[in-house]
Amino acid sequence: MTSNADVDQALIDDFHTLSRFGATAGGGVDRQAGTAADGEQRRWLTNWLTGRGFTVEFDRVGNQFGMLELVPGAPYVIVGSHLDSQPFGGKYDGAYGVLAAAHAVGRLAEKWRSAGHAPLYNLAVVNWFNEEGCRFEPSMMGSSVYTGKLDLDAALNTRDLAGTTVRDALESIDCLGSGVGPTAAFYAEIHIEQGRVLEDTQTTIGLVEATWAARKYHLVVHGEQSHTGSTVMADRKDAILGASYLAVAAREIADRFTDPALHSSVGQMVIEPNSPVVVAREVRMHLDLRSSDEGVLAEANEMLLKRIPEIERLANVRIEQATAHGWGLLAYHPDGVKIAQTASEGLGLSHRPMMTIAGHDSTNMKDIVPTVMLFVPSVEGISHNEGEFTEDSDISAGVDLLTEVVSRLAHGDVSEGLPDGLSTPHITVD
Amino acid sequence: MTSNADVDQALIDDFHTLSRFGATAGGGVDRQAGTAADGEQRRWLTNWLTGRGFTVEFDRVGNQFGMLELVPGAPYVIVGSHLDSQPFGGKYDGAYGVLAAAHAVGRLAEKWRSAGHAPLYNLAVVNWFNEEGCRFEPSMMGSSVYTGKLDLDAALNTRDLAGTTVRDALESIDCLGSGVGPTAAFYAEIHIEQGRVLEDTQTTIGLVEATWAARKYHLVVHGEQSHTGSTVMADRKDAILGASYLAVAAREIADRFTDPALHSSVGQMVIEPNSPVVVAREVRMHLDLRSSDEGVLAEANEMLLKRIPEIERLANVRIEQATAHGWGLLAYHPDGVKIAQTASEGLGLSHRPMMTIAGHDSTNMKDIVPTVMLFVPSVEGISHNEGEFTEDSDISAGVDLLTEVVSRLAHGDVSEGLPDGLSTPHITVD
């Protein structure tokens, strides 16, 4: 699985330094978007970039850009990912992609500077704001605003569960700017796989061809507050019971599909009042369905919508579908996949085409510019967990490849603009 | 249902005044134990009592006593309930019992003072600390410490979900004393029914003969944090799914019993990390089973314990039974029921023997002294809800009866001490 490339020790050392921000006792990190730990790592990145000649700028939604203007006035190849993490998340998710981008662009700049060479496009490193979406919803917030998919004010006015707005959180870490960032011609991102495919197939590089189709439901279960002891069972309108039936239904629906698989989940329930002795009056929850097969997803969606009225009756509750959105199978630009494949071969790195199940900032960027998305292996596929781990040799090989891909993009190996039909915006489901 | 007794307007006015502390927009109250609103209503009660010649004292766990020493050195007839509420709770639960006690004792004191009469026992009004148990567990905390069932330090060191201890909360509202309160010879409490029996049978007074048997389980579902999208279903150890299966099982078990009924509930789930995009690693939850029939309860307990390993397998989680406790059918002193019945008849109030399903501070007190527990009707049985309502005429009739019961207790109509077998302490279930 691991490559034979030499490990870049400066890269690994920087990764260890970065991993100390928000480090948890369990070996992971907790640096949710807009927290003090997020601010500290952003200042560290600013120092790293300015020390190497980059101009650093925060845009109006807190995206952090490190720009190298090599061709005055030309648009940019933007390369990056996100430094924010889940609570008790892993060190690699997002952070690896930002550091890889900084090293890749840094290497190219140094090489071209000493050779007196100029590419066709400028280069920028990006640390997108709030990719994780755990503190502030939705996820991929920074890249959604950058790509025009999310309204700026809606983003800035979003509140966490404690009532703090994105605007206040960004101001508190001094990361709220006023600009819109550099103009992109291309985008590239590298990320750990968050699955077992590369490990199981002993492959170093995943060339991402498409994102799984998904439907995401924000459901509100409306019950009625009453006494857990004295209320007769027939009178209860138990929102926890309704939410529990929904969580079980999501799993039962996933169990109906094997190949192609359906992934389902309920990761959050916000319960009111959540007292041991009160039947809950309300549960707000997220339910996701995902598949590599749009037909499977449509069928699963039907099953879920059929279960909702049954559950309303069983638990004597009302289930409100507050919001729902989704997307079909979303392709990355085939020319981007092609240059990444050629580059992998040039470097002697084993590779395979893949899909991504998780969303990434590249999921947004690929809808506006040709985008390359690369994976390196995750040991045991562990993700959103302190135990996340990727071998140093894979870390290093990924940066070698990213450097080569960025160089090709900067030299116009892929044409600007998207072919017809490639830009599939997210859809709202009624 | 409502009595023909004259309504005591001073009582109703005081009730409206009391209901303003922590008043919610929805017509209820939110004055959880040890909060600012709890402190304010306690100061109001202190003023009310001292203005009528009571000596007010907070004991070492924040129980508030208003004492009238009429017979130097004699033990007390203690009368009261609790002023703390659920979040978005009703105005009547507990608060009515404390105010009724203050008025009943106040009436007797005034009558005896003007007649130059002395009873055999002293009188005290009590506002027990933290009956509700929503902010700090367990419920009935103040009366549990008073009756020696709960260790003082364990109570004072208990933390709410924000990490504040009971000690700090009580100090913040200046309600932490050092004494142990007056010595009880008898206890009396009046409360709204929190059910529909009195309303459905057009009865004004419930004479509580026993508490339903109960088993309470504190369960911890251990899963493993992972990515809600990319983790393959077979690899997931989803704590929310395990908790949901348990909540559904609790309802299914209750549905197996009709007469005698089983009540079951899950009112709280504390979920970690509770992020929309992370499979939960842990859920801490409460599950209760209650019945008027000990055989039904034992059978339901068996069913639940059988379901736990099945659910562990289904959700690929480990379920830890952190604590479990329970009690059998607990009788109130029959002589107390008898004097309350005679007093009801003397006042022309319709009455019936009943059981209480909910726990009350009297559930603790009846294990150490002869105790009388009275109910007045709850419209539609609404409880732990802002919509809780009891008619003014019932409020007033209840105080008339409580006054008469306290007078009889203070004159020795019931003998001191408990008959053999009446004191059934709570049991720990393995």
Side-chain angles (χ1 to χ4, degrees), chain A residues 78-106:
Chain A
I78 300 180
V79 197
S81 191
H82 61 93
L83 290 181
D84 71 306
S85 85
Q86 291 289 331
F88 299 94
K91 303 192 276 280
Y92 296 84
D93 184 342
Y96 167 56
V98 174
L99 194 67
H103 274 260
V105 172

PDB file of all heavy atoms in Angstrom, chain A residues 78-106:
ATOM      1  N   ILE A  78      -6.189  27.228  -7.316  1.00  0.00           N
ATOM      2  CA  ILE A  78      -6.349  27.234  -5.855  1.00  0.00           C
ATOM      3  C   ILE A  78      -6.231  25.792  -5.357  1.00  0.00           C
ATOM      4  O   ILE A  78      -6.777  24.863  -5.960  1.00  0.00           O
ATOM      5  CB  ILE A  78      -7.691  27.881  -5.455  1.00  0.00           C
ATOM      6  CG1 ILE A  78      -7.721  29.343  -5.962  1.00  0.00           C
ATOM      7  CG2 ILE A  78      -7.891  27.837  -3.940  1.00  0.00           C
ATOM      8  CD1 ILE A  78      -8.987  30.113  -5.635  1.00  0.00           C
ATOM      9  N   VAL A  79      -5.469  25.632  -4.266  1.00  0.00           N
ATOM     10  CA  VAL A  79      -5.172  24.296  -3.747  1.00  0.00           C
ATOM     11  C   VAL A  79      -5.377  24.335  -2.240  1.00  0.00           C
ATOM     12  O   VAL A  79      -4.868  25.243  -1.581  1.00  0.00           O
ATOM     13  CB  VAL A  79      -3.698  23.915  -4.013  1.00  0.00           C
ATOM     14  CG1 VAL A  79      -3.509  22.412  -3.860  1.00  0.00           C
ATOM     15  CG2 VAL A  79      -3.226  24.395  -5.377  1.00  0.00           C
ATOM     16  N   GLY A  80      -6.102  23.379  -1.686  1.00  0.00           N
ATOM     17  CA  GLY A  80      -6.245  23.398  -0.238  1.00  0.00           C
ATOM     18  C   GLY A  80      -7.281  22.440   0.284  1.00  0.00           C
ATOM     19  O   GLY A  80      -7.662  21.475  -0.399  1.00  0.00           O
ATOM     20  N   SER A  81      -7.748  22.730   1.482  1.00  0.00           N
ATOM     21  CA  SER A  81      -8.749  21.926   2.173  1.00  0.00           C
ATOM     22  C   SER A  81      -9.161  22.744   3.407  1.00  0.00           C
ATOM     23  O   SER A  81      -9.285  23.968   3.283  1.00  0.00           O
ATOM     24  CB  SER A  81      -8.166  20.550   2.533  1.00  0.00           C
ATOM     25  OG  SER A  81      -9.168  19.662   2.965  1.00  0.00           O
ATOM     26  N   HIS A  82      -9.322  22.140   4.568  1.00  0.00           N
ATOM     27  CA  HIS A  82      -9.796  22.886   5.747  1.00  0.00           C
ATOM     28  C   HIS A  82      -9.026  22.453   6.985  1.00  0.00           C
ATOM     29  O   HIS A  82      -8.675  21.279   7.125  1.00  0.00           O
ATOM     30  CB  HIS A  82     -11.285  22.619   5.969  1.00  0.00           C
ATOM     31  CG  HIS A  82     -11.567  21.162   6.228  1.00  0.00           C
ATOM     32  ND1 HIS A  82     -11.631  20.641   7.503  1.00  0.00           N
ATOM     33  CD2 HIS A  82     -11.747  20.107   5.382  1.00  0.00           C
ATOM     34  CE1 HIS A  82     -11.853  19.332   7.416  1.00  0.00           C
ATOM     35  NE2 HIS A  82     -11.932  18.982   6.145  1.00  0.00           N
ATOM     36  N   LEU A  83      -8.796  23.397   7.884  1.00  0.00           N
ATOM     37  CA  LEU A  83      -8.100  23.071   9.133  1.00  0.00           C
ATOM     38  C   LEU A  83      -9.063  22.800  10.291  1.00  0.00           C
ATOM     39  O   LEU A  83      -8.646  22.282  11.324  1.00  0.00           O
ATOM     40  CB  LEU A  83      -7.144  24.213   9.537  1.00  0.00           C
ATOM     41  CG  LEU A  83      -5.888  24.409   8.668  1.00  0.00           C
ATOM     42  CD1 LEU A  83      -5.038  25.559   9.227  1.00  0.00           C
ATOM     43  CD2 LEU A  83      -5.051  23.133   8.607  1.00  0.00           C
ATOM     44  N   ASP A  84     -10.343  23.139  10.142  1.00  0.00           N
ATOM     45  CA  ASP A  84     -11.249  22.885  11.275  1.00  0.00           C
ATOM     46  C   ASP A  84     -11.498  21.388  11.411  1.00  0.00           C
ATOM     47  O   ASP A  84     -11.321  20.618  10.457  1.00  0.00           O
ATOM     48  CB  ASP A  84     -12.577  23.647  11.101  1.00  0.00           C
ATOM     49  CG  ASP A  84     -13.462  23.084  10.013  1.00  0.00           C
ATOM     50  OD1 ASP A  84     -12.986  22.936   8.868  1.00  0.00           O
ATOM     51  OD2 ASP A  84     -14.639  22.798  10.280  1.00  0.00           O
ATOM     52  N   SER A  85     -11.897  20.962  12.610  1.00  0.00           N
ATOM     53  CA  SER A  85     -12.097  19.526  12.866  1.00  0.00           C
ATOM     54  C   SER A  85     -13.431  19.281  13.561  1.00  0.00           C
ATOM     55  O   SER A  85     -14.081  20.204  14.041  1.00  0.00           O
ATOM     56  CB  SER A  85     -10.982  18.970  13.753  1.00  0.00           C
ATOM     57  OG  SER A  85     -11.282  19.192  15.128  1.00  0.00           O
ATOM     58  N   GLN A  86     -13.792  18.014  13.627  1.00  0.00           N
ATOM     59  CA  GLN A  86     -14.904  17.568  14.456  1.00  0.00           C
ATOM     60  C   GLN A  86     -14.478  17.638  15.921  1.00  0.00           C
ATOM     61  O   GLN A  86     -13.292  17.662  16.221  1.00  0.00           O
ATOM     62  CB  GLN A  86     -15.238  16.095  14.119  1.00  0.00           C
ATOM     63  CG  GLN A  86     -15.836  15.895  12.750  1.00  0.00           C
ATOM     64  CD  GLN A  86     -17.239  16.421  12.641  1.00  0.00           C
ATOM     65  OE1 GLN A  86     -17.972  16.463  13.623  1.00  0.00           O
ATOM     66  NE2 GLN A  86     -17.619  16.864  11.446  1.00  0.00           N
ATOM     67  N   PRO A  87     -15.450  17.622  16.854  1.00  0.00           N
ATOM     68  CA  PRO A  87     -15.075  17.445  18.267  1.00  0.00           C
ATOM     69  C   PRO A  87     -14.465  16.047  18.416  1.00  0.00           C
ATOM     70  O   PRO A  87     -15.047  15.078  17.906  1.00  0.00           O
ATOM     71  CB  PRO A  87     -16.415  17.534  19.010  1.00  0.00           C
ATOM     72  CG  PRO A  87     -17.479  17.413  17.980  1.00  0.00           C
ATOM     73  CD  PRO A  87     -16.888  17.748  16.651  1.00  0.00           C
ATOM     74  N   PHE A  88     -13.317  15.952  19.054  1.00  0.00           N
ATOM     75  CA  PHE A  88     -12.603  14.678  19.175  1.00  0.00           C
ATOM     76  C   PHE A  88     -12.405  14.029  17.807  1.00  0.00           C
ATOM     77  O   PHE A  88     -12.650  12.851  17.634  1.00  0.00           O
ATOM     78  CB  PHE A  88     -13.309  13.720  20.140  1.00  0.00           C
ATOM     79  CG  PHE A  88     -13.405  14.267  21.529  1.00  0.00           C
ATOM     80  CD1 PHE A  88     -14.539  14.953  21.942  1.00  0.00           C
ATOM     81  CD2 PHE A  88     -12.343  14.139  22.407  1.00  0.00           C
ATOM     82  CE1 PHE A  88     -14.616  15.496  23.217  1.00  0.00           C
ATOM     83  CE2 PHE A  88     -12.416  14.677  23.691  1.00  0.00           C
ATOM     84  CZ  PHE A  88     -13.549  15.350  24.085  1.00  0.00           C
ATOM     85  N   GLY A  89     -12.002  14.855  16.854  1.00  0.00           N
ATOM     86  CA  GLY A  89     -11.750  14.361  15.510  1.00  0.00           C
ATOM     87  C   GLY A  89     -10.302  13.917  15.347  1.00  0.00           C
ATOM     88  O   GLY A  89      -9.496  13.960  16.289  1.00  0.00           O
ATOM     89  N   GLY A  90      -9.987  13.504  14.120  1.00  0.00           N
ATOM     90  CA  GLY A  90      -8.627  13.055  13.830  1.00  0.00           C
ATOM     91  C   GLY A  90      -7.754  14.206  13.338  1.00  0.00           C
ATOM     92  O   GLY A  90      -8.256  15.249  12.925  1.00  0.00           O
ATOM     93  N   LYS A  91      -6.445  13.966  13.359  1.00  0.00           N
ATOM     94  CA  LYS A  91      -5.469  15.001  12.986  1.00  0.00           C
ATOM     95  C   LYS A  91      -5.392  15.233  11.481  1.00  0.00           C
ATOM     96  O   LYS A  91      -4.892  16.253  11.032  1.00  0.00           O
ATOM     97  CB  LYS A  91      -4.052  14.566  13.402  1.00  0.00           C
ATOM     98  CG  LYS A  91      -3.853  14.254  14.843  1.00  0.00           C
ATOM     99  CD  LYS A  91      -2.365  14.134  15.159  1.00  0.00           C
ATOM    100  CE  LYS A  91      -1.801  12.764  14.868  1.00  0.00           C
ATOM    101  NZ  LYS A  91      -2.090  11.782  15.938  1.00  0.00           N
ATOM    102  N   TYR A  92      -5.794  14.222  10.698  1.00  0.00           N
ATOM    103  CA  TYR A  92      -5.512  14.235   9.260  1.00  0.00           C
ATOM    104  C   TYR A  92      -6.600  14.903   8.426  1.00  0.00           C
ATOM    105  O   TYR A  92      -6.322  15.539   7.408  1.00  0.00           O
ATOM    106  CB  TYR A  92      -5.305  12.787   8.764  1.00  0.00           C
ATOM    107  CG  TYR A  92      -4.088  12.138   9.387  1.00  0.00           C
ATOM    108  CD1 TYR A  92      -4.153  11.536  10.641  1.00  0.00           C
ATOM    109  CD2 TYR A  92      -2.860  12.159   8.720  1.00  0.00           C
ATOM    110  CE1 TYR A  92      -3.036  10.954  11.223  1.00  0.00           C
ATOM    111  CE2 TYR A  92      -1.735  11.571   9.295  1.00  0.00           C
ATOM    112  CZ  TYR A  92      -1.829  10.976  10.541  1.00  0.00           C
ATOM    113  OH  TYR A  92      -0.722  10.416  11.108  1.00  0.00           O
ATOM    114  N   ASP A  93      -7.852  14.707   8.860  1.00  0.00           N
ATOM    115  CA  ASP A  93      -9.010  15.150   8.086  1.00  0.00           C
ATOM    116  C   ASP A  93      -8.932  16.663   7.832  1.00  0.00           C
ATOM    117  O   ASP A  93      -9.079  17.464   8.751  1.00  0.00           O
ATOM    118  CB  ASP A  93     -10.264  14.792   8.886  1.00  0.00           C
ATOM    119  CG  ASP A  93     -11.556  15.100   8.148  1.00  0.00           C
ATOM    120  OD1 ASP A  93     -11.539  15.872   7.182  1.00  0.00           O
ATOM    121  OD2 ASP A  93     -12.593  14.565   8.572  1.00  0.00           O
ATOM    122  N   GLY A  94      -8.707  17.049   6.580  1.00  0.00           N
ATOM    123  CA  GLY A  94      -8.652  18.469   6.218  1.00  0.00           C
ATOM    124  C   GLY A  94      -7.280  19.070   6.417  1.00  0.00           C
ATOM    125  O   GLY A  94      -6.694  19.648   5.490  1.00  0.00           O
ATOM    126  N   ALA A  95      -6.719  18.906   7.610  1.00  0.00           N
ATOM    127  CA  ALA A  95      -5.430  19.533   7.936  1.00  0.00           C
ATOM    128  C   ALA A  95      -4.336  19.034   6.986  1.00  0.00           C
ATOM    129  O   ALA A  95      -3.479  19.816   6.533  1.00  0.00           O
ATOM    130  CB  ALA A  95      -5.054  19.238   9.383  1.00  0.00           C
ATOM    131  N   TYR A  96      -4.388  17.737   6.692  1.00  0.00           N
ATOM    132  CA  TYR A  96      -3.391  17.212   5.759  1.00  0.00           C
ATOM    133  C   TYR A  96      -3.485  17.925   4.419  1.00  0.00           C
ATOM    134  O   TYR A  96      -2.456  18.299   3.819  1.00  0.00           O
ATOM    135  CB  TYR A  96      -3.564  15.695   5.583  1.00  0.00           C
ATOM    136  CG  TYR A  96      -2.776  15.147   4.418  1.00  0.00           C
ATOM    137  CD1 TYR A  96      -1.393  15.347   4.326  1.00  0.00           C
ATOM    138  CD2 TYR A  96      -3.409  14.437   3.390  1.00  0.00           C
ATOM    139  CE1 TYR A  96      -0.666  14.867   3.247  1.00  0.00           C
ATOM    140  CE2 TYR A  96      -2.693  13.953   2.308  1.00  0.00           C
ATOM    141  CZ  TYR A  96      -1.319  14.189   2.235  1.00  0.00           C
ATOM    142  OH  TYR A  96      -0.598  13.723   1.166  1.00  0.00           O
ATOM    143  N   GLY A  97      -4.693  18.154   3.930  1.00  0.00           N
ATOM    144  CA  GLY A  97      -4.883  18.783   2.619  1.00  0.00           C
ATOM    145  C   GLY A  97      -4.375  20.214   2.566  1.00  0.00           C
ATOM    146  O   GLY A  97      -3.845  20.658   1.535  1.00  0.00           O
ATOM    147  N   VAL A  98      -4.548  20.955   3.667  1.00  0.00           N
ATOM    148  CA  VAL A  98      -4.065  22.342   3.685  1.00  0.00           C
ATOM    149  C   VAL A  98      -2.538  22.354   3.716  1.00  0.00           C
ATOM    150  O   VAL A  98      -1.886  23.093   2.952  1.00  0.00           O
ATOM    151  CB  VAL A  98      -4.637  23.113   4.900  1.00  0.00           C
ATOM    152  CG1 VAL A  98      -4.018  24.506   4.993  1.00  0.00           C
ATOM    153  CG2 VAL A  98      -6.160  23.199   4.803  1.00  0.00           C
ATOM    154  N   LEU A  99      -1.967  21.521   4.572  1.00  0.00           N
ATOM    155  CA  LEU A  99      -0.509  21.499   4.677  1.00  0.00           C
ATOM    156  C   LEU A  99       0.124  20.981   3.375  1.00  0.00           C
ATOM    157  O   LEU A  99       1.155  21.500   2.912  1.00  0.00           O
ATOM    158  CB  LEU A  99      -0.086  20.627   5.860  1.00  0.00           C
ATOM    159  CG  LEU A  99       1.371  20.797   6.260  1.00  0.00           C
ATOM    160  CD1 LEU A  99       1.624  22.197   6.817  1.00  0.00           C
ATOM    161  CD2 LEU A  99       1.764  19.746   7.300  1.00  0.00           C
ATOM    162  N   ALA A 100      -0.508  19.970   2.782  1.00  0.00           N
ATOM    163  CA  ALA A 100      -0.023  19.439   1.497  1.00  0.00           C
ATOM    164  C   ALA A 100      -0.036  20.534   0.438  1.00  0.00           C
ATOM    165  O   ALA A 100       0.916  20.675  -0.355  1.00  0.00           O
ATOM    166  CB  ALA A 100      -0.902  18.256   1.061  1.00  0.00           C
ATOM    167  N   ALA A 101      -1.103  21.332   0.423  1.00  0.00           N
ATOM    168  CA  ALA A 101      -1.203  22.425  -0.543  1.00  0.00           C
ATOM    169  C   ALA A 101      -0.088  23.440  -0.325  1.00  0.00           C
ATOM    170  O   ALA A 101       0.570  23.894  -1.283  1.00  0.00           O
ATOM    171  CB  ALA A 101      -2.574  23.113  -0.406  1.00  0.00           C
ATOM    172  N   ALA A 102       0.135  23.797   0.949  1.00  0.00           N
ATOM    173  CA  ALA A 102       1.168  24.780   1.255  1.00  0.00           C
ATOM    174  C   ALA A 102       2.537  24.271   0.798  1.00  0.00           C
ATOM    175  O   ALA A 102       3.323  25.010   0.175  1.00  0.00           O
ATOM    176  CB  ALA A 102       1.177  25.080   2.757  1.00  0.00           C
ATOM    177  N   HIS A 103       2.838  22.992   1.078  1.00  0.00           N
ATOM    178  CA  HIS A 103       4.132  22.431   0.673  1.00  0.00           C
ATOM    179  C   HIS A 103       4.238  22.311  -0.838  1.00  0.00           C
ATOM    180  O   HIS A 103       5.279  22.604  -1.427  1.00  0.00           O
ATOM    181  CB  HIS A 103       4.367  21.088   1.366  1.00  0.00           C
ATOM    182  CG  HIS A 103       4.977  21.245   2.721  1.00  0.00           C
ATOM    183  ND1 HIS A 103       6.316  21.065   2.974  1.00  0.00           N
ATOM    184  CD2 HIS A 103       4.425  21.614   3.900  1.00  0.00           C
ATOM    185  CE1 HIS A 103       6.568  21.295   4.259  1.00  0.00           C
ATOM    186  NE2 HIS A 103       5.433  21.622   4.854  1.00  0.00           N
ATOM    187  N   ALA A 104       3.169  21.853  -1.499  1.00  0.00           N
ATOM    188  CA  ALA A 104       3.203  21.681  -2.961  1.00  0.00           C
ATOM    189  C   ALA A 104       3.441  23.023  -3.650  1.00  0.00           C
ATOM    190  O   ALA A 104       4.324  23.166  -4.514  1.00  0.00           O
ATOM    191  CB  ALA A 104       1.892  21.048  -3.445  1.00  0.00           C
ATOM    192  N   VAL A 105       2.654  24.019  -3.257  1.00  0.00           N
ATOM    193  CA  VAL A 105       2.791  25.333  -3.886  1.00  0.00           C
ATOM    194  C   VAL A 105       4.154  25.936  -3.536  1.00  0.00           C
ATOM    195  O   VAL A 105       4.835  26.538  -4.385  1.00  0.00           O
ATOM    196  CB  VAL A 105       1.620  26.262  -3.473  1.00  0.00           C
ATOM    197  CG1 VAL A 105       1.858  27.684  -3.965  1.00  0.00           C
ATOM    198  CG2 VAL A 105       0.303  25.720  -4.038  1.00  0.00           C
ATOM    199  N   GLY A 106       4.566  25.754  -2.276  1.00  0.00           N
ATOM    200  CA  GLY A 106       5.873  26.257  -1.838  1.00  0.00           C
ATOM    201  C   GLY A 106       7.022  25.671  -2.674  1.00  0.00           C
ATOM    202  O   GLY A 106       7.931  26.398  -3.118  1.00  0.00           O
TER     203      GLY A 106
END
